[in-house]
Amino acid sequence: WNGDDPRGRTILIHAEQGFGDTVQFARYLAAIAQRGGTPVLACEPSLVPLLKCIPGAEVISKYHPLPRHDAWIDQMSLPHVFGTTLDTIPFPAGYLSADPALIAAHRATLPQGRCIGLAWCGNPMHSNDRRRTPPAELFAPLAALSESHVISLVPDRTLPGIACPARPLADYAETAALVAALDLVVTVDTSVAHVAGALRQPAWVLLPYAPDWRWLLQRNDTPWYDSLRLVRQPSAGDWHSVIASVIAALAG
């Protein structure tokens, strides 16, 4: 698909990149539907239960037989065919919703007081993971904050002082529901940041000095999501200052 009129046509979108990329650029499904097309996103199975909430779109596992379609496009090409600029990014105020029943189920398990979700690491197989993930021990002061409860947003993993969620994070619909039930998310540059932004939930994203292209430079906000705050390394490798800044803001 080259971006021409999709009206009355089925456009197959192939999610060819990572989980966070798939969530970030899922916003374009609604844009295709608004122009009269029927977008079909073929993506990783664990994302299907969350992304199927997008009005006018069909979301399927990329491992299932593909439906009949009139044109196809790789998902990361969508900003190009829409002519996206920083001023025309669609839906910066959010474009996903979590299941209300799942939100209620997670909220019922949370302790009283401020609850903070923490994603301290991304996929260790990611080629850039060593630069985007701080040493785990640096998060110890976060676990020690008084009057705050810190919940792990990393499936099946936790750190000392960080609680595991009562409900398993079996897919991204569960993760989104827990994010929606929390007061704040603190996360490295991984898919959780995109889930929070797409839900318009407040999140602080911890970034290396030389970040991924999507986060731009020298700003603490992002045109992709209006609910995110970016916390950047002041110099290469300085995660201590990043964590100290987060602790000071939370304690203030």
Side-chain angles (χ1 to χ4, degrees), residues 2 15 52-53 59 65 83 109 114 143 149 155 157 165 172 187 196 219 243:
N2 62 7
K52 68 181 183 181
C53 72
V59 182
T109 70
R114 182 172 62 179
H149 307 280
R157 295 177 63 187
Y172 276 83
T187 177
R219 56 189 296 171
I243 303 300

Side-chain angles (χ1 to χ4, degrees), residues 82-133:
F82 273 87
T84 305
T85 69
L86 294 183
D87 296 322
T88 63
I89 291 172
F91 309 115
Y95 48 92
L96 297 182
S97 58
D99 184 323
L102 291 181
I103 296 173
H106 278 284
R107 187 168 285 144
T109 70
L110 295 175
Q112 294 294 316
R114 182 172 62 179
C115 291
I116 300 169
L118 176 64
W120 71 89
C121 65
N123 181 354
M125 302 304 294
H126 191 286
S127 61
N128 198 41
D129 192 62
R130 64 180 180 82
R131 293 181 60 251
R132 68 176 182 170
T133 296

